[in-house]
Amino acid sequence: MTSPQNDPAPQPPQGHTHTHAHTHSHGPAAPVSRHLRKVIAAVLIPFATAVVVGLIAFWPGGVPDHERTGVGFDRQTQDGKVVQVVKVDCADVNAAQVPPTGDTSTPSGREAVNEQEGECAKATVEVTSGDDKGRRFVEVVQPDAPRQLKEGQGVVVAYAPDAPRDLQYSVIDVNRKIPMALLAGIFALAVVLVGRMRGVMALVALAVSFAVLTLFILPAILQGSNPLVVAVIGASAIMLAALYMCHGVTARTSVAVIGTLISLLLIGLLGSLFIGWASLSGNTDDNTGLIKGLYPDIDMSGLLLAGVIIGSLGVLDDVTVTQTSAVWELHQADPEMGWKGLYRAGIRIGRDHIASVVNTLVLAYAGAALPLLLLFSIAQSSVGTVANSELVAEEIVRTLVGSIGLVASVPVTTVLAALVVSADRAGPGGAQAATAAPARTGRGRRRKTG
C-alpha cells in the first residue's frame, strides 16, 4: 500500500498536493522569507523600543496623594453588613413635612407624603473592615428608595470623619464582590475550555492590558503627563502584548500590528482635530468635574481623546487580525494569486466584517448613553438639539472617529498583508520553499530525504 502512494508523488505540485499540504499545516506552515522577516523587524523593533522607552520615561510611580473631599467616589469607604432590619412608621423617623396644600402632583410632594405615611425600614449596619470594625450604626431606608436593605446583606459604607459621631457612617452601595468574582470565574473558565492554550494566553494578555491601564496610563495622567502621549504609549504596549501573546510572534501577527498602528494614528489625528474643532472640553458631568477639581492641571480634552484611542483599540485588534489571517489563508489556498487578487478577495471579506463591527461600536456607545438619551426624549428635544449638546456630541465624535479608524483599518491591513505574502513568493525561500516544506509531511515524501 505504501509504494503505490509513493509513485505519483513526484508529479505535481498542483492542486492535490496543495490541498494536502494545507490540511496538515496550521497557521505558520508557510513562513515568509528571511528577507521579509528582516524588513518587518526593521519596522517593528524600533517601534517596540520606542514604546519601552516611553513607558520608562513616563512611568508615574503611583497615584499622587490628595486630601479626600468626601464627595462622590472620593470618599473613605469600608465594608459593612446589615445585621437587623425592622419596619417602622415613616412619620416616627422622618422630619419631613407634607406640603400644607397636600399637593401630590409634584415629585417632591409625593415624596414628602410617602415619608410621612409609608412604612420605612430601620436597618442596623455593622462595619466589618477598617479601624472601626465592629461598630454599628442605624440607616433609615425610605419606602420608595431604589435600594432596599435586607438582613445579612453585604454593603459598602462611607466614612465622614468630620461629621458628628452618629452620622459618620452611611450606606452608599451594595457589596457585589462575590457575584462579580463568580461571573469573572465563569468567563475565564469558558475562555479556557473553548480556547484552550489560546484562551489561557488571551486571559494573560487581558491581565497585562489591565496592568498597563491601572499601573501606567491612569497614574501617569494623574501625575500631569499629557493624556494623549500617555494613551498612545499605553495603547501601543497593550497592542504589542495582546497580539503577540495571543497569536504568536509571526510575520502574520506583525502585519496586523502595523495595520493597527496606522489605524490608531489616524484615529488620534482625527480625534484631535474634531475634539478641538467642536470645542469639546471633556468636563461634562459630576465625575469629570471632580477630577478637574482634584487635579486642575489635567487636560480634560486630552483625556477625552485618550479615551477614544483606548476604546477603539480592542475592536481594531479584532479587525486587523481577521483581515491578515484571511489574506494568509487565501494565499495558501492559491499561491499563484498576485497581490491585487489577494487584495480584492480580502477586501470582500473585510466589507462583511466591517459592516457588523461598526454597527456593534455604535450600539455599544448608544447603550452606554441610553439614560441620557431617555432624558432628551422626555424633554422632547429635536435631534439637532440633542446632537449639539456637549454630552451627546462627545459620544458622537467618539463613535464616528473610532468607526472611521475601523473602516480604514480594513483596506490598510489587507493591502499590507497582500503585499507581504505576494512579495514573499519571489524572495529566497519563496513559493517553492513554502510549498515544498509542507509537502514533506505527506506519506509520499518519506523516501525523498536524500
Side-chain angles (χ1 to χ4, degrees), residues 77-436:
T77 60
Q78 300 292 347
D79 293 334
K81 183 179 180 181
V82 180
V83 295
Q84 186 183 38
V85 177
V86 295
K87 296 294 184 180
V88 295
D89 190 348
C90 286
D92 295 336
V93 292
N94 289 328
Q97 299 294 323
V98 179
T101 59
D103 181 15
T104 59
S105 62
T106 64
S108 59
R110 289 192 296 272
E111 184 178 345
V113 169
N114 288 336
E115 289 180 354
Q116 290 296 318
E117 298 180 354
E119 189 177 48
C120 294
K122 188 176 181 181
T124 302
V125 181
E126 180 177 317
V127 180
T128 58
S129 65
D131 295 336
D132 287 336
K133 182 177 180 180
R135 180 174 166 181
R136 296 189 175 191
F137 64 96
V138 173
E139 182 90 5
V140 175
V141 183
Q142 305 300 328
D144 55 353
R147 181 177 58 245
Q148 298 293 319
L149 299 180
K150 298 177 291 185
E151 191 170 320
Q153 186 177 35
V155 293
V156 178
V157 299
Y159 175 59
D162 298 332
R165 180 173 174 80
D166 293 341
L167 302 176
Q168 285 181 331
Y169 281 98
S170 60
V171 176
I172 59 170
D173 210 343
V174 173
N175 192 327
R176 304 179 180 89
K177 292 177 182 176
I178 293 178
M180 297 293 283
L182 179 61
L183 182 60
I186 295 172
F187 162 73
L189 182 62
V191 170
V192 172
L193 287 177
V194 176
R196 299 188 180 179
M197 195 59 200
R198 277 289 173 87
V200 172
M201 295 310 297
L203 292 177
V204 174
L206 182 62
V208 172
S209 300
F210 273 108
V212 173
L213 185 64
T214 56
L215 298 179
F216 174 72
I217 296 177
L218 299 180
I221 291 174
L222 291 178
Q223 291 279 16
S225 299
N226 187 298
L228 176 57
V229 175
V230 169
V232 169
I233 295 171
S236 300
I238 291 172
M239 174 183 67
L240 290 170
L243 287 179
Y244 283 118
M245 291 178 73
C246 293
H247 304 286
V249 183
T250 64
R252 182 188 303 193
T253 307
S254 298
V255 171
V257 167
I258 296 172
T260 305
L261 176 62
I262 294 172
S263 302
L264 279 179
L265 291 175
L266 176 62
I267 289 173
L269 290 173
L270 287 175
S272 179
L273 172 64
F274 283 95
I275 286 174
W277 194 1
S279 300
L280 298 177
S281 67
N283 189 1
T284 53
D285 57 24
D286 292 340
N287 293 328
T288 54
L290 178 60
I291 293 171
K292 187 64 176 176
L294 293 174
Y295 300 97
D297 294 333
I298 289 181
D299 179 8
M300 299 303 292
S301 61
L303 187 62
L304 173 61
L305 180 57
V308 173
I309 292 173
I310 295 171
S312 303
L313 178 60
V315 189
L316 269 178
D317 286 354
D318 175 45
V319 173
T320 54
V321 168
T322 300
Q323 285 305 113
T324 307
S325 296
V327 172
W328 242 261
E329 293 301 323
L330 287 167
H331 172 67
Q332 283 191 282
D334 185 3
E336 301 304 319
M337 190 184 299
W339 76 267
K340 291 183 180 179
L342 288 171
Y343 175 78
R344 284 193 293 267
I347 205 70
R348 285 195 294 270
I349 298 171
R351 289 190 187 111
D352 291 336
H353 192 199
I354 206 63
S356 59
V357 168
V358 168
N359 195 45
T360 300
L361 191 63
V362 172
L363 291 178
Y365 283 127
L370 199 58
L372 177 65
L373 296 177
L374 281 174
L375 286 177
F376 281 108
S377 179
I378 292 169
Q380 297 183 341
S381 302
S382 66
V383 174
T385 302
V386 172
N388 191 63
S389 68
E390 186 169 2
L391 269 173
V392 177
E394 277 189 5
E395 298 304 323
I396 292 175
V397 170
R398 194 193 309 267
T399 302
L400 295 182
V401 167
S403 297
I404 291 171
L406 284 174
V407 171
S409 70
V410 171
V412 167
T413 309
T414 305
V415 75
L416 280 174
L419 288 171
V420 167
V421 293
S422 60
D424 188 51
R425 295 170 60 213
Q432 293 80 4
T435 53

